[in-house]
Amino acid sequence: YAHEALMRGHDTEGGLIPPFRMITAARDAKLMGVLDTLSISRAFWAANERELQTKLFLNVTPSTITRESFTATRVTRDCLAQGVSPDRVVLELIESESIADMPGTVERLDSFRAAGFSVALDDVGAGFSNLNLLHQLRPDVVKLDMDLTRDIHEDGYKAVVATKILELAAHLEIATVVEGVEAVEELAWFRERGVTYAQGYLIGKPAAQPLTVGPKL
């Protein structure tokens, strides 16, 4: 159904630089918006180069959403230049920081939706993501945090929380994605309760050349 673009860097010797190092450096230099914009542009290029025809999930921080330079018009122009139509792009609002400007964020997300983009709320059940954001942002997709996923079939407390989130999303006609699925038992538990999609190492591991056909599970 979809691929999620993950950011990786390369050092001078060709080794991988993990995303947290780039994010930390960008935040310290107050360049998080620049890093977001460049990584999203690079993701469009990578999707086009690999001839992907699936949905494309792209992480973006709340502060970037309201930047003057991060407009629906500009991002639309960028993705179309790489042969990616906006209706294939899902902007995934990550929970690494709180939303300082809620009215501005809602207005900007509405402009992206009007241009054809979809909006996902990441890591529901962890960090700054909370149920209030569902009615404030009204996302098209919610992603359940992997802390809820892990060993869900063996943890009754987690099971109640996850079940209620899935029921609420279904009632609001919001698609759901469960993150961090690594065990068949976890996938089976969520399938029985109507999750829309799943991602995690059981489905496919991060790779420079993305999978086009998933495993039969």
Side-chain angles (χ1 to χ4, degrees):
Y1 173 74
H3 289 86
E4 179 175 355
L6 303 179
M7 182 175 64
R8 300 291 187 270
H10 293 278
D11 59 26
T12 55
E13 297 179 354
L16 282 178
I17 301 174
F20 75 87
R21 282 181 54 194
M22 291 186 282
I23 291 171
T24 299
R27 283 194 178 131
D28 290 346
K30 301 188 185 308
L31 292 172
M32 195 62 220
V34 174
L35 180 63
D36 271 344
T37 301
L38 289 174
S39 63
I40 287 173
S41 180
R42 181 70 174 180
F44 293 145
W45 173 86
N48 182 42
E49 184 185 56
R50 290 157 178 76
E51 299 181 344
L52 294 181
Q53 298 301 317
T54 56
K55 293 278 189 179
L56 184 63
F57 278 68
L58 304 173
N59 294 320
V60 59
T61 54
S63 57
T64 296
I65 286 290
T66 52
R67 282 173 59 91
E68 290 185 9
S69 60
F70 196 81
T71 64
T73 299
R74 180 170 181 174
V75 178
T76 297
R77 184 171 61 245
D78 195 7
C79 68
L80 289 176
Q82 294 294 343
V84 178
S85 60
D87 61 1
R88 285 177 48 209
V89 179
V90 183
L91 296 176
E92 188 173 325
L93 203 63
I94 63 175
E95 53 75 51
S96 59
E97 63 184 34
S98 61
I99 297 177
D101 180 7
M102 184 60 70
T105 299
V106 171
E107 182 179 359
R108 184 61 61 84
L109 290 178
D110 284 344
S111 70
F112 274 100
R113 285 196 185 94
F117 296 84
S118 298
V119 175
L121 184 58
D122 192 24
D123 294 331
V124 170
F128 292 101
S129 292
N130 57 66
L131 295 182
N132 280 334
L133 294 180
L134 287 181
H135 77 80
Q136 292 170 318
L137 301 179
R138 307 196 177 190
D140 306 290
V141 181
V142 295
K143 303 185 75 174
L144 279 67
D145 183 70
M146 67 174 60
D147 283 345
L148 278 177
T149 304
R150 203 58 42 79
D151 300 322
I152 188 82
H153 56 294
E154 297 176 345
D155 191 321
Y157 202 97
K158 285 184 180 181
V160 172
V161 175
T163 296
K164 294 306 177 183
I165 293 175
L166 291 173
E167 290 176 352
L168 181 60
H171 186 72
L172 295 173
E173 298 183 343
I174 299 174
T176 50
V177 179
V178 57
E179 299 180 305
V181 176
E182 295 188 1
V184 173
E185 293 84 0
E186 294 165 353
L187 179 61
W189 189 95
F190 278 102
R191 271 179 165 168
E192 290 173 2
R193 286 153 184 83
V195 74
T196 318
Y197 305 106
Q199 73 176 88
Y201 281 14
L202 183 66
I203 314 299
K205 296 182 179 181
Q209 187 59 44
L211 292 175
T212 56
V213 179
K216 293 182 179 180
L217 298 169

